[in-house]
Every structure is written in C-alpha cells, then in structure tokens.
Amino acid sequence: MALINLLIPPACLACNQKLRSNQKYLCSECSGKVRGALSGDCPKCGSLCEDGICHHCRDLGFSFEFARSALQYKDPLPDMVHAMKYRGMRSVGGFLADKMAEAAKDYPPFEEYTDVVAIPLHPVRKRERGFNQSEVIARRLAKHLDKNYLDCVVRKRYTRSQTTLERDARLNNLSGAFVVRKPAKVKGKNLILVDDVFTTGSTLNEVSRALYAAGAAKVAGYTATRA
Ligand SMILES: [Zn+2]
Ligand SMILES: [Zn+2]
C-alpha cells in the first residue's frame, strides 16, 4: 500500500491538480472549501439541518450522551475519506485526527472523557483493507488529546454494507454485531467513540449500547466528518 503512495506523484485528492511542495493532500483551493461541523444545531447528535432536538433523536433516542463531528462531509472530504478507505491512503487518517483534535479543543464537554475507542471493522474487512481507518484516527486523536486509546470492541458479524440499506434496515442490520471483549476495561469509564463518517448514527448507537451494557459510565460519539 505504502509503495503505491510513493509511486503516485502528489496530486490534490479532490481535484487532481498537482500539489506544490508545501501542500499535502489538498490544493489551496480545495483546502479552502473544508468546513467545520462541530457547532451542530441538534444538542444531542449535532445534526446541522434543524433547530433544537432533531427528528432522528426524538424518534430513536440514541444511546450515546451526544455526538459531534469535526468537519462537514462535503467537497473535498468525500474524496479524502474514499482515498483513505479504498485507495490504501492510511495517512489521511492522521490528517483527519489532527482536524478533530484542533476542533475538540473548542468543545469542553470532551474534557471529562478519559478514553478513546474506535468503531471496529470485521476482521475479514480489516484484512482486505490492511487497516481499520477508525482505529488509525482514534489512536492519533487519543495521543493529541492526551487520552488513553482503548482496544476493547470487536465486530463479530460480517454485516452487509450499510450504504446499500434503507434507514430502518440499517438499524436492524447492526443489532448484536458488536461485542465488548474486556468489560472490566470499560467499567465506570467515560468513553469517546470514534468513526470516520456520521451518516445515520446507527453504528455509533449500536456500539455505544454495547459499551453501556458492559458498564461504561458515559459514551460520546466523535466522528471526523458529518454527512
Ligand atoms: Zn484541489
Ligand atoms: Zn439529533
């Protein structure tokens, strides 16, 4: 994977324009389009489209305390996330973690959280991809925020790709898919659960439920981007 990256001349991940030596991943035009998403409108899930508690939170009652995202999943972020997940560009996870750490400093509620947990990939998919992008992001974020990275959740079922399913089916598709391997490690702890993209919140919801069942005191979601 790393070799492939070395052979491709550095070009902007979004518009393919050749990069200057002081630019990484994005040209200045595309990096100027990056928009923050931390100050979401819904106090619970951080949704950007409504005032007050959004209809997803009203209808579903997410299990996590709150969820926030650092960046909007708009041009150029979809291309960056795609490069990371499907073109083997693991290091893009570091870029996302840096942005998340920067944004988190303006969000005091994260301060009482001591440990960072990644949404796990099924071992088969992890083998295919070579790494778990959420883990790459979570490990670096933990280091930046001076918190402990905790490896404690496994995905035991190989679920269908979430993107092909309707909303209700997505929620059912994940039920019971995650298991906390060492409950003693999460007992009484405040955990930040990390993923790359917040779409419906169903993955965060399901893993957070498993963590609460294992004895976690509080679970908050923090994703790099927000669809
Ligand atoms: Zn560009
Ligand atoms: Zn909401």
Side-chain angles (χ1 to χ4, degrees), residues 12 15 27 30:
C12 173
C15 74
C27 70
C30 291

Side-chain angles (χ1 to χ4, degrees), residues 42 44-47 53-54 57:
C42 173
K44 175 92 175 175
C45 78
S47 147
I53 292 279
C54 77
C57 288

Side-chain angles (χ1 to χ4, degrees), residues 41-48 50 52-58 62 64 67-68 198 226:
D41 301 311
C42 173
K44 175 92 175 175
C45 78
S47 147
L48 294 161
E50 289 175 68
I53 292 279
C54 77
H55 69 275
H56 296 318
C57 288
R58 262 198 317 266
F62 286 130
F64 44 76
R68 287 295 179 274
F198 185 111
R226 170 110 208 173

Side-chain angles (χ1 to χ4, degrees), residues 11 64 68 88 94-95 99 103-104 112 128 186 208:
F64 44 76
R68 287 295 179 274
F95 168 91
K99 296 284 181 191
E112 60 170 327
E128 287 168 0
V186 308
S208 138

Side-chain angles (χ1 to χ4, degrees), residues 60 62-64 85 118-121 133-134 153 155 159-163 167 170-175 177-178 193-211 219 221 223:
L60 279 167
F62 286 130
S63 56
F64 44 76
K85 286 162 87 164
I119 298 285
L121 266 189
Q133 74 282 356
S134 302
V153 194
R155 192 186 285 244
T159 48
R160 278 177 61 194
S161 174
Q162 288 287 93
T163 48
R167 185 181 170 78
R170 283 186 179 207
L171 295 172
N172 290 328
N173 185 42
L174 287 173
S175 178
F178 301 99
L193 191 51
V194 166
D195 206 359
D196 53 348
V197 186
F198 185 111
T199 310
T200 60
S202 53
T203 309
L204 284 183
N205 186 47
E206 206 52 46
V207 177
S208 138
R209 199 144 61 170
L211 289 167
V219 182
T223 64

